[in-house]
Amino acid sequence: MNASNINVRFFDVVLCVSRALDLLSPHLSDHHLRTAYVAARLAEEIGLSVVEKQDVVIAGALHDVGALSTTYRLALQDYAVGDQLENIHVHGMEGYLLLREFPPFTRAAEAIRYHHVEWNNERGSEFNGEPVPLASHILHLADRIAVLPESGVHILQQCDNIRRKIVDGVHLRFHPRVVSAFDAVSLSEAFWLDVVSQHKEEIIRERFGQHNVVLDLDELYELARLFGRIIDFRSPFTAIHSSMVAARAERIAQLLGVDTYRTKIIGIAGFLHDLGKLAVPTEILDKPERLTREEMFIVKQHPYYTHRILSTVPGLEEVNAFASLHHERLDGQGYPFRRSEIPLEARIIAAADVFTAVSEHRPYRSGMTRTAALALLDQFVSGGALDGEVVAVVRAHFGDLIRMSQP
Ligand SMILES: [Fe+2]
Ligand SMILES: [Fe+2]
Ligand SMILES: [Fe+2]
């Protein structure tokens, strides 16, 4: 197998992560995709170029990545208070810092940085002495429109009220150019039906996906690495977990003689293995006490969500198989699929995951010593969870693996 076997599109990966960000709570409806759609329509109406429109879609799709807790994310959903929250700009800044690391996201990151700056009679053209890009003002209005539709009431029954609310706010909250664009696009019923449609991913892809380029293996690796950082960033206890699992799984693969292409795919799956954790509230991830039974179920569903999310991206089938089987056991007693036939790549990631987890500090315990970690890994092998050959490599290169830094 060689690099040309990978055939994944850029936009598809962005949109799948966007959907993942809203799994946290049903109350978030599909906030990120909604914002992306509205922002793109506004950008189109304003006459931005194809590339600028794509940046606006990316920014909308990922705009609240910097907002950590469920409580805070839900507060942002309140139209009246959302913009007034204390430290409202912090999550924009965090999102900016995360996303700008990946060059194709630079402009989207800049738009996200100030996406809650109010227009305030032109004062909002600058913030902290820096110019606020038009894309930030587009995002601001799109984000506020996205939170307005009430569930349980037909959208066409609400849209006139929403229109009035926005247009009345001109010169205060929102940029007048963006408000006139909204005034124009929101006249049609189709616009509102799109806003609440269950098929927004396809709608966005069809209408704004002209630049949905195919990623090569290295680009996909870089994108997966960034998403790994987004997953990790949510909890201080797992701040570099996905990166370390990726790095260690790659090293173990090399030591087992796996070829370069497959080693890279293993790295990509390593970065993404806990993608489903985006659906676990930080309040649970960081909880210092024992989890309740219900909280445990919520944590336990994460590899299932990793699987669901990745299965929406054509071309990621292999990555998905390697990523979402990391809590399966060779004896078929793992979760969530209870599979006993587990590909070597997934067995490597499972071992790298356990190894990394036991060497990390967690809210309820400190990292283990070498002896304790090795004893536990052996127990996992004899108990029928992990692959003995893979763990033998871990044992032989323990020091090496522990000292590795994140890729
Ligand atoms: Fe926000
Ligand atoms: Fe938002
Ligand atoms: Fe996991």
Side-chain angles (χ1 to χ4, degrees):
M1 214 174 257
N2 59 52
S4 63
N5 286 96
I6 198 86
N7 191 356
V8 177
R9 290 181 180 270
F10 179 53
F11 234 46
D12 295 354
V13 185
V14 174
L15 294 180
C16 104
V17 173
S18 180
R19 189 168 281 294
L21 289 171
D22 292 329
L23 284 175
L24 202 52
S25 157
H27 301 292
L28 292 169
S29 39
D30 44 0
H31 179 68
H32 282 88
L33 287 176
R34 242 184 221 186
T35 306
Y37 172 77
V38 176
R41 290 293 308 269
L42 297 173
E44 184 177 55
E45 182 64 26
I46 289 171
L48 300 190
S49 69
V50 174
V51 177
E52 289 168 321
K53 263 187 290 181
Q54 162 142 332
D55 291 333
V56 166
V57 177
I58 296 170
L62 303 173
H63 71 279
D64 281 335
V65 280
L68 287 179
S69 75
T70 322
T71 328
Y72 188 74
R73 296 266 299 277
L74 289 172
L76 284 172
Q77 300 296 301
D78 188 313
Y79 179 78
V81 301
D83 274 348
Q84 318 300 327
L85 289 173
E86 215 184 313
N87 301 326
I88 181 71
H89 302 295
V90 172
H91 75 279
M93 186 56 88
E94 294 280 7
Y96 162 73
L97 293 173
L98 275 166
L99 296 176
R100 70 167 185 176
E101 297 287 308
F102 183 59
F105 283 166
T106 308
R107 282 183 308 271
E110 282 164 4
I112 287 172
R113 178 165 42 172
Y114 296 136
H115 75 272
H116 285 280
V117 172
E118 304 213 337
W119 179 244
N120 201 2
N121 280 317
E122 232 171 300
R123 257 167 269 161
S125 56
E126 278 189 10
F127 190 77
N128 284 343
E130 285 183 75
V132 175
L134 180 62
S136 297
H137 289 293
I138 293 177
L139 216 53
H140 183 213
L141 179 54
D143 170 67
R144 293 298 87 193
I145 292 165
V147 302
L148 279 172
E150 253 180 77
S151 56
V153 181
H154 198 285
I155 188 65
L156 298 181
Q157 201 175 315
Q158 318 177 45
C159 61
D160 285 341
N161 274 340
I162 299 178
R163 277 173 52 80
R164 254 194 309 278
K165 209 166 200 161
I166 298 294
V167 179
D168 288 351
V170 74
H171 302 309
L172 292 168
R173 280 181 96 162
F174 308 116
H175 193 302
R177 250 178 101 190
V178 185
V179 175
S180 357
F182 170 71
D183 205 11
V185 297
S186 63
L187 267 177
S188 78
E189 284 83 359
F191 170 81
W192 292 106
L193 294 170
D194 279 348
V195 167
V196 296
S197 166
Q198 292 302 306
H199 305 283
K200 259 192 303 301
E201 248 171 290
E202 294 100 276
I203 295 171
I204 293 172
R205 213 178 284 128
E206 273 165 30
R207 189 157 180 160
F208 304 103
Q210 294 96 328
H211 274 231
N212 196 0
V213 290
V214 173
L215 297 165
D216 67 28
L217 188 64
D218 290 331
E219 290 165 333
L220 179 62
Y221 185 90
E222 288 307 314
L223 188 57
R225 170 154 71 166
L226 172 77
F227 289 133
R229 293 192 53 208
I230 289 174
I231 300 159
D232 290 347
F233 147 88
R234 296 184 63 236
S235 170
F237 297 101
T238 56
I240 52 168
H241 175 79
S242 306
S243 308
M244 291 314 300
V245 170
R248 286 173 177 144
E250 280 182 57
R251 177 67 59 85
I252 298 167
Q254 281 164 354
L255 292 165
L256 282 163
V258 175
D259 67 53
T260 324
Y261 170 78
R262 297 196 85 68
T263 300
K264 269 223 148 134
I265 294 285
I266 290 172
I268 292 168
F271 287 126
L272 299 176
H273 75 286
D274 274 343
L275 188 58
K277 279 216 174 141
L278 291 176
V280 181
T282 46
E283 289 80 351
I284 296 181
L285 293 177
D286 297 344
K287 189 176 171 185
E289 304 92 46
R290 246 183 112 86
L291 299 184
T292 64
R293 233 171 107 73
E294 203 197 332
E295 288 166 340
M296 225 117 80
F297 290 141
I298 294 175
V299 174
K300 219 171 169 181
Q301 68 190 10
H302 80 272
Y304 172 79
Y305 278 120
T306 297
H307 175 76
R308 288 302 324 141
I309 300 161
L310 292 179
S311 64
T312 63
V313 184
L316 278 191
E317 294 78 10
E318 262 197 327
V319 168
N320 191 359
F322 304 159
S324 53
L325 296 179
H326 70 276
H327 288 294
E328 299 297 325
R329 297 165 50 103
L330 291 174
D331 60 9
Q333 297 303 307
Y335 62 92
F337 301 107
R338 298 193 173 254
R339 286 241 318 240
S340 50
E341 269 164 47
I342 304 163
L344 174 68
E345 292 86 343
R347 281 181 263 151
I348 292 174
I349 292 171
D353 187 35
V354 172
F355 177 87
T356 302
V358 297
S359 55
E360 280 164 354
H361 296 290
R362 287 292 160 92
Y364 45 89
R365 61 152 174 79
S366 316
M368 284 182 194
T369 61
R370 178 192 171 112
T371 323
L374 281 173
L376 192 78
L377 284 165
D378 285 342
Q379 243 178 58
F380 271 93
V381 175
S382 56
L386 293 176
D387 182 320
E389 267 173 59
V390 177
V391 171
V393 169
V394 174
R395 174 178 276 281
H397 299 270
F398 191 92
D400 237 29
L401 289 166
I402 213 95
R403 279 189 298 274
M404 284 184 77
S405 52
Q406 59 174 323

